[in-house]
Amino acid sequence: MPKCNTALSALVVLISAVAAPAQRGGYLSQPEGYSRRSFYVLAGWTGGPHFTKFVEWANTYYETTFMTDDRIGDFGGGLSFCAGIRHRFARHLALEFDFALHSVSTSKLFVNHNPTVPIPDQAQELDMNVAKFSASLPVLFQFSSDQKFVPFLAIGISAFSIRLDHAIEYNIRHTEVALAAGFSAGAQIKIDDRLSLDARSEWTAGKTTMPVSAIYGQPDRFQLNLATSQFLVGIMYGID
């Protein structure tokens, strides 16, 4: 978290440094050369969230109880889709609101090698569906109306809506809503006056707890790390 806080603080300073001359330069009163409002559609890959605490517990529990070296892995990554709207209120500053979806899963059959424990083999299966609502403040490094390549940086906040389908010998579904901070970096490549290619990377940081289907006498809630890494590409189209 200290590294994330340092990066966010540096980005805030950068936003302030760019915003001040933007306002003094009267960009709002000059010919804009860009769309004030745009929508974008992106697709790519997302890694996380991470359920490391549960994974560590599961591997230790089944090793101790079943005398097994079977191991379940943490969540990996999956395809993600994002749609959003950008409102640009100055040449260098905008607000973005978007909605993203992705799914991750992990599973393992733990085989019982302990003859003193009359418990059948057990499968741990976890499927997590994540919906993420984000609001962010991008800084766009556009210095002329005919600039083709426009990089940007942004900070923001995300609300995660998470559904965890967890099966041992039966299915249980849990839901959780949590907040996380985030920052992103990307670039647009102008195709014409309204259409641009958009590529970006996004990172979030935060923590919550998530219930799981319980084993008698064992914990039924574990920490869920909301850290995600997204890599997305798509198009942005100017509405006006």
Side-chain angles (χ1 to χ4, degrees):
M1 289 300 291
K3 290 183 179 179
C4 180
N5 291 337
T6 301
L8 291 175
S9 299
L11 193 52
V12 170
V13 173
L14 182 59
I15 288 173
S16 301
V18 173
Q23 299 304 324
R24 288 197 300 269
Y27 286 134
L28 288 175
S29 61
Q30 293 181 8
E32 295 166 350
Y34 59 82
S35 296
R36 302 275 294 189
R37 280 173 288 274
S38 307
F39 73 86
Y40 51 91
V41 180
L42 309 169
W45 179 91
T46 297
H50 302 287
F51 212 10
T52 308
K53 295 295 184 181
F54 171 81
V55 168
E56 291 173 347
W57 167 84
N59 289 329
T60 300
Y61 172 81
Y62 286 109
E63 179 182 16
T64 303
T65 306
F66 285 1
M67 300 175 63
T68 180
D69 58 1
D70 295 325
R71 294 288 183 270
I72 192 172
D74 203 346
F75 289 123
L79 293 177
S80 56
F81 302 91
C82 175
I85 294 176
R86 171 184 287 176
H87 174 67
R88 196 161 171 178
F89 56 88
R91 184 183 296 274
H92 295 297
L93 296 173
L95 287 173
E96 286 189 352
F97 303 93
D98 60 46
F99 171 73
L101 291 169
H102 77 282
S103 298
V104 289
S105 62
T106 184
S107 64
K108 187 66 182 180
L109 175 66
F110 289 91
V111 180
N112 188 2
H113 298 292
N114 189 348
T116 66
V117 178
I119 301 176
D121 301 341
Q122 292 202 4
Q124 285 282 355
E125 299 178 8
L126 296 93
D127 296 298
M128 182 175 287
N129 295 304
V130 181
K132 183 165 71 76
F133 302 85
S134 300
S136 60
L137 178 67
V139 177
L140 299 104
F141 297 92
Q142 180 176 6
F143 302 101
S144 67
S145 60
D146 58 353
Q147 183 176 330
K148 297 293 187 182
F149 182 81
V150 181
F152 61 88
L153 298 173
I155 56 173
I157 188 168
S158 297
F160 283 78
S161 177
I162 299 167
R163 190 189 80 191
L164 177 67
D165 295 316
H166 184 168
I168 298 178
E169 293 179 344
Y170 47 89
N171 292 316
I172 288 184
R173 176 173 292 173
H174 294 287
T175 59
E176 192 76 24
V177 176
L179 296 177
F183 64 98
S184 63
Q188 296 168 231
I189 300 175
K190 185 177 179 181
I191 297 175
D192 59 31
D193 289 341
R194 290 183 179 269
L195 185 64
S196 298
L197 294 177
D198 188 299
R200 62 181 68 189
S201 299
E202 299 181 356
W203 300 268
T204 58
K207 294 179 180 179
T208 187
T209 59
M210 175 63 73
V212 294
S213 51
I215 295 176
Y216 180 77
Q218 297 295 319
D220 63 356
R221 179 178 287 268
F222 293 88
Q223 178 181 290
L224 179 68
N225 189 338
L226 296 172
T228 61
S229 301
Q230 288 189 297
F231 304 93
L232 304 164
V233 295
I235 60 170
M236 178 173 289
Y237 185 79
I239 302 170
D240 59 17

